[in-house]
Amino acid sequence: MTPAYRIYSVPYNGTEPEWFLQEVKKRKQHIDHVYCELPFQEMISHVRFTFDDRKAAGEPPANVDSMRAQYLKNCFEFLRLSRGQVRRICPVNAMSYQFDSEDAVKSFVLTLARAANELQIEGFILSDYRVAALLHAVMPELEIHTSCNAYQWNLRQMEIWREKCGVNVFNPPREILRSPSKLKEMHAAGFRLKCLVNEACLMGCPNSFNHNLAIARGQRPILLSCCQDGIADLFRANWILPRWQKYYDDVVDIYKIAGRNSAGDYPFRTLDAYLTDNNSLPLVELMLSGTILFAAQVLPAEILQKITVEQVPDKLLTCECKECSTCGLCEKILAELIPKQYQDTFRFKIKVQ
């Protein structure tokens, strides 16, 4: 695949709906779909943590609720305006749902089916097998994608989801980008693959299950952060830089851009960087992660701005977590790019093994 034929999944981030749709249309040939939060007050994906964490951080609840309401209002308006203009796939991809009974699951699925009909959306991104199977039975014409949180790691899992849930696009776990042989195996078996490229997250490296369990058990996600070794994690994370896409073009059908919680034109700046193989941006402007948020709190912005994508060595394309104890590359990058007086700031005193 050449850059001219790459296609992407783009997040709607709650900004001005008409402007966002105009920007989508400018790049429509490269956009497979826009994924947009369902405009439900209860917010049934992990985007709700953005607002919950604002309250936990001490922001006035009334202000946070107002921002949340505006976000959802804009989502509704975007979905209304974009009918027939671009495909919309809505994420329902929280890692767990509090269903007390089988009837509760069925009721939830019917709620999704009514929303799909009323909003005329093309499909859903799902992480829960029960929801996916029931929704496919109710609306077999609806497109279903798996979320990376559904954790599709082997062919038999994928065969079951395709057979029972009608799934035609799979988003494997984020860390699979470090296992190209698995991607080749999945693609050769006929599965259409969508992979997240710009979220510099260590989920699965080694903390996917811990992170998911923290959320499933009602704990604040920050308690089991995927940032364990400080700023070096920026370089150890599971992202794909623009210049690395060429190594994935034969096995990745859709490149997913993260950013439902981002501000302003971030989704389009990022998409344009990937479309043009632009490696001159500061790493923190292109990538998203808890690690980056952490770094921004303890390091002057002018230092982070100097760490550009082109400074990240290609060795990281094949770096795997199991090698970390002997590799030391991330620490070497840290020593070269972060002034010495700040380096100890990023060394955590407690390690999660």
Side-chain angles (χ1 to χ4, degrees):
M1 186 193 306
T2 65
Y5 294 102
R6 289 177 185 142
I7 58 173
Y8 296 78
S9 168
V10 178
Y12 176 65
N13 60 349
T15 193
E16 207 285 316
E18 291 187 2
W19 173 84
F20 191 93
L21 183 57
Q22 288 175 358
E23 294 299 309
V24 167
K25 288 179 178 179
K26 293 177 185 177
R27 304 162 175 84
K28 190 173 180 180
Q29 71 183 88
H30 294 291
I31 295 178
D32 180 80
H33 63 272
V34 173
Y35 60 103
C36 173
E37 187 77 13
L38 276 174
F40 289 178
Q41 181 58 34
E42 59 270 31
M43 297 190 82
I44 51 180
S45 87
H46 56 264
V47 169
R48 67 181 183 270
F49 295 136
T50 299
F51 300 96
D52 293 345
D53 286 349
R54 283 177 177 270
K55 290 183 180 180
E59 291 193 39
N63 292 354
V64 176
D65 289 342
S66 177
M67 288 187 288
R68 178 186 183 124
Q70 185 63 54
Y71 186 103
L72 293 175
K73 180 181 178 182
N74 286 349
C75 286
F76 178 84
E77 186 65 8
F78 173 75
L79 291 171
R80 184 187 70 81
L81 290 171
S82 59
R83 291 175 187 170
Q85 307 294 314
V86 64
R87 286 165 18 86
R88 292 83 40 80
I89 310 292
C90 291
V92 184
N93 60 349
M95 291 138 182
S96 70
Y97 301 98
Q98 300 301 317
F99 297 131
D100 296 325
S101 66
E102 184 178 345
D103 286 342
V105 182
K106 292 178 180 177
S107 177
F108 181 69
V109 167
L110 290 176
T111 298
L112 296 182
R114 284 193 292 268
N117 185 56
E118 292 170 4
L119 298 168
Q120 297 179 25
I121 63 175
E122 284 72 23
F124 286 110
I125 301 168
L126 301 174
S127 57
D128 190 298
Y129 175 80
R130 299 164 298 169
V131 172
L134 286 171
L135 186 59
H136 179 60
V138 173
M139 297 185 71
E141 72 281 6
L142 199 65
E143 189 170 334
I144 294 179
H145 299 191
T146 64
S147 165
C148 60
N149 297 320
Y151 219 81
Q152 302 300 307
W153 191 257
N154 64 65
L155 297 185
R156 182 57 186 144
Q157 284 178 307
M158 299 168 81
E159 289 168 357
I160 292 171
W161 278 70
R162 181 165 61 184
E163 177 186 348
K164 301 297 185 182
C165 310
V167 173
N168 57 11
V169 174
F170 288 85
N171 186 358
R174 306 173 194 205
E175 61 268 30
I176 205 169
L177 290 168
R178 292 292 182 266
S179 301
S181 61
K182 291 296 296 183
L183 287 171
K184 290 177 182 177
E185 180 184 86
M186 293 171 174
H187 204 263
F191 296 111
R192 196 163 185 238
L193 301 181
K194 174 172 60 175
C195 287
L196 182 62
V197 290
N198 70 308
E199 189 160 24
C201 181
L202 280 176
M203 289 177 66
C205 187
N207 296 308
S208 268
F209 293 109
N210 288 341
H211 194 102
N212 290 4
L213 282 170
I215 295 171
R217 293 180 61 83
Q219 306 298 320
R220 282 170 53 79
I222 197 66
L223 294 179
L224 279 172
S225 170
C226 43
C227 175
Q228 298 301 340
D229 295 313
I231 195 66
D233 286 348
L234 275 176
F235 312 107
R236 192 180 293 120
N238 294 299
W239 32 241
I240 294 300
L241 299 179
R243 69 177 183 270
W244 294 347
Q245 290 175 105
K246 57 182 177 287
Y247 300 113
Y248 291 86
D249 283 339
D250 290 341
V251 291
V252 174
D253 299 284
I254 304 169
Y255 292 102
K256 179 183 175 183
I257 303 294
R260 272 178 290 163
N261 299 327
S262 64
D265 64 349
Y266 172 80
F268 301 112
R269 285 190 288 109
T270 304
L271 174 59
D272 291 345
Y274 277 96
L275 284 173
T276 59
D277 282 351
N278 181 355
N279 291 281
S280 64
L281 289 174
L283 189 66
V284 293
E285 287 189 13
L286 185 66
M287 298 299 170
L288 296 174
S289 76
T291 308
I292 287 174
L293 293 174
F294 167 70
Q297 295 296 317
V298 293
L299 194 67
E302 59 268 22
I303 293 177
L304 283 177
Q305 288 294 311
K306 292 178 182 178
I307 304 174
T308 58
V309 173
E310 59 198 0
Q311 291 175 283
V312 179
D314 287 334
K315 165 65 172 70
L316 288 179
L317 182 63
T318 56
C319 185
E320 296 183 12
C321 301
K322 64 185 178 182
E323 300 173 350
C324 283
S325 60
T326 57
C327 176
L329 177 61
C330 297
E331 292 296 327
K332 182 175 183 291
I333 300 171
L334 171 68
E336 291 176 352
L337 299 180
I338 305 296
K340 193 174 191 310
Q341 65 264 38
Y342 296 107
Q343 290 177 19
D344 286 342
T345 308
F346 297 100
R347 305 194 191 286
F348 282 20
K349 306 305 181 186
I350 299 175
K351 299 287 185 180
V352 177
Q353 302 295 336

